[in-house]
Amino acid sequence: MVKKCRLFIIPGTFDLAGFSDALKGLSPEFEAPAAARPFDLLDCHDQSLRAEGRLLIEVDGALQLLQADRDVLVQACSGKGKFVQDLPDGPVKTAVKGFPKLRALMSIGSGLIESGSFAVLDDLQKTQVRGSVVTLSTDKGQATLLTVQPMRGYDRAFHAVCAALKTMAASGFDVVFASLFPGVTPYNAKPDVPLGTQEPSIEVAADIIRTYLAVARQNEAGVISDIDTEFLHDYRVSLRRVRSVLSLFKGVFSPEQTDALKREFSDLMAPTGRVRDLDVYLLEKDIYFNLIPPNLHQGAEAMFAQFAKERTRALTALSRRFRSAAYSKKMDELAALFADLNGLEPGPNADRGAYGYACALIWKRYRKVCKLARGITPGTSDEIVHDLRIDCKKLRYLMEFFGPLLDKGDFKTLIKPLKKLQDNLGLFNDYSVQQEALLEFVTTQSNAQGRANAQLAMSVGGLIAVLDQRQKAERDRVIANFQHFDSPDIQNLFRTLFHHKED
């Protein structure tokens, strides 16, 4: 059986003297490292690699992937600003194939790297253990990563070296981030908001709104830099959650302040809509092309070229807005408003216990969803299906806000079929909106004689026909998947958890 190499992460400066003293009868020899070179630590905004216990470094035009107790993987290519699926084939790309497809690799931080090797010799100067050393440093700190490679016949020396390093090492790559980039915490698009069962509703509402305002702001720089489209998506979802609190927690704030806040957040959302629509179209370009025969691709190419130009203009305008003093002032004012309850105007439900009130809201929304969904048939109008989608979204937001107060098993049992139903409803809505947008697009592209480009019109017509078929199929899936969400077990669990929970 071949023993695996071992990786040890040493925060701060490596204590070579202490390491040598611990190796009785053995002597470590470290080769002089190569000259220090600049490096970038790569991950996505969500820091998915960090969460998996992996470290991706770009140095000298190559990627190095470090993983616990595995050989370092090296691939000659750059990664910053790229999507994993767009990297050339190689060992690093293969190893990180589960990386989020819509997230681009970006620099989490940069510094200097020194690489070298070492050997551990016995008293006869015979090498019994080999290893490599990587030292990472920034102006904030330093971390050393030592990989120890076993050699056949020298198990005792290998175990001795590992035992000595273990007393000096920390567990996991988080120590690298803490040493090199203190304060850089993993981004969380859906952070848990600490809640108590007896907190007044106005305090909980303010906590949730303040939390998601902060999440939205964490995405602004990524939108401006156009790193990937998920920054804008997360920004919009965060503000949508804020708006849902204002609309669902009725009577928590005064009617006048509620209406004013709804208008303010709608004004913040409005300039982002067209960019997001265009992002979705461009992300699905390959799917569109697969839906129509090759002889219609020429018109589709012209359409997507127009989409790309329009997106550039729309993103430029949105980025200018995000950088403006007026926008920053507005966001700062909103953050300050919800950081201090003194500026909030309480409504009649402000002092109601948030948990009991939320349970009543969840139960009411759940019953509304079921009533609406039970009436869905193949002949139901699109508008009613869209209403169901919105009600499901509001139900899910409510449940996720108060999920930390629920049993994890119960929460998962309820949320899983709801997500499935939401996925179907989301696709149904997407197909509907896309058909309308394509029809509008081809109309606006008509020439002065009122006649659209023939290739473009045929391509759009073909896409609309296919999208219509997919929309009908998705409606059938909505009906089928609602049956699971409406099962007796789910009904009973909703009733047990949320009915008659008022204070």
Side-chain angles (χ1 to χ4, degrees), residues 20-290:
S20 299
D21 291 342
L23 296 177
K24 298 177 181 179
L26 297 171
S27 302
E29 291 188 356
F30 286 80
E31 294 183 0
R37 299 100 70 206
F39 80 90
D40 279 292
L41 181 59
L42 302 186
D43 210 329
C44 66
H45 191 44
D46 293 327
Q47 295 189 25
S48 298
L49 293 175
R50 176 181 182 177
E52 295 171 353
R54 302 199 275 184
L55 207 65
L56 183 62
I57 296 171
E58 182 171 332
V59 58
D60 296 337
L63 297 177
Q64 298 182 13
L65 181 66
L66 293 91
Q67 308 173 87
D69 300 340
R70 297 186 188 180
D71 291 332
V72 177
L73 300 179
V74 180
Q75 182 173 336
C77 67
S78 63
K80 187 164 58 176
K82 296 182 179 179
F83 296 92
V84 165
Q85 60 267 29
D86 295 333
L87 296 176
D89 291 339
V92 173
K93 179 181 180 179
T94 300
V96 297
K97 62 182 179 181
F99 196 80
K101 292 186 180 300
L102 296 181
R103 280 294 187 190
L105 291 166
M106 55 183 282
S107 177
I108 303 300
S110 59
L112 295 176
I113 182 173
E114 294 179 325
S115 302
S117 61
F118 72 94
V120 177
L121 290 69
D122 61 14
D123 53 5
L124 297 177
Q125 296 299 293
K126 189 166 186 178
T127 300
Q128 298 197 357
V129 178
R130 293 189 182 277
S132 62
V133 185
V134 173
T135 301
L136 305 172
S137 59
T138 67
D139 56 355
K140 301 292 185 182
Q142 178 177 307
T144 304
L145 295 87
L146 295 97
T147 301
V148 183
Q149 186 68 47
M151 297 180 64
R152 187 185 298 274
Y154 296 108
D155 290 354
R156 182 176 297 178
F158 174 72
H159 290 307
V161 171
C162 290
L165 290 174
K166 187 175 181 179
T167 62
M168 308 166 67
S171 176
F173 284 114
D174 272 348
V175 69
V176 176
F177 287 83
S179 298
L180 304 181
F181 313 110
V184 177
T185 57
Y187 166 76
N188 185 354
K190 293 195 295 185
D192 287 339
V193 181
L195 303 174
T197 57
Q198 302 303 316
E199 281 186 81
S201 291
I202 193 169
E203 291 184 13
V204 170
D207 287 345
I208 294 172
I209 291 173
R210 183 174 62 252
T211 297
Y212 281 99
L213 268 175
V215 173
R217 302 226 66 180
Q218 287 179 274
N219 287 281
E220 293 166 355
V223 174
I224 294 170
S225 301
D226 198 16
I227 295 171
D228 61 49
T229 60
E230 288 297 278
F231 284 91
L232 181 58
H233 175 255
D234 281 8
Y235 176 89
R236 285 171 52 80
V237 170
S238 298
L239 292 189
R240 198 178 294 133
R241 289 175 184 273
V242 169
R243 290 170 60 188
S244 75
V245 173
L246 295 171
S247 108
L248 290 169
F249 283 57
K250 297 183 185 301
V252 169
F253 307 111
S254 71
E256 296 77 16
Q257 189 170 48
T258 299
D259 290 342
L261 288 169
K262 283 183 177 179
R263 286 194 298 272
E264 289 196 60
F265 283 107
S266 292
D267 290 344
L268 287 172
M269 287 280 284
T272 68
R274 187 55 182 165
V275 181
R276 180 57 188 168
D277 289 344
L278 292 165
D279 281 346
V280 172
Y281 299 144
L282 293 168
L283 286 170
E284 296 184 350
K285 179 179 178 179
D286 291 342
I287 296 175
Y288 278 130
F289 273 76
N290 291 332

Side-chain angles (χ1 to χ4, degrees), residues 421 424 470 472-482:
L421 182 59
N424 300 137
R470 291 197 164 198
K472 289 182 172 64
E474 210 58 48
R475 182 199 299 268
D476 293 338
R477 294 188 184 96
V478 168
I479 296 171
N481 283 322
F482 174 68

Side-chain angles (χ1 to χ4, degrees), residues 390-428:
I390 293 170
D391 281 326
C392 284
K393 183 180 295 183
K394 290 180 176 179
L395 174 62
R396 180 174 169 185
Y397 285 162
L398 271 173
M399 293 176 64
E400 288 181 340
F401 290 153
F402 291 90
L405 297 179
L406 303 175
D407 176 81
K408 289 184 178 180
D410 290 341
F411 180 77
K412 185 176 180 180
T413 298
L414 296 179
I415 210 74
K416 186 175 180 180
L418 177 57
K419 285 182 178 179
K420 183 70 174 176
L421 182 59
Q422 269 194 287
D423 289 343
N424 300 137
L425 289 164
L427 287 172
F428 179 91

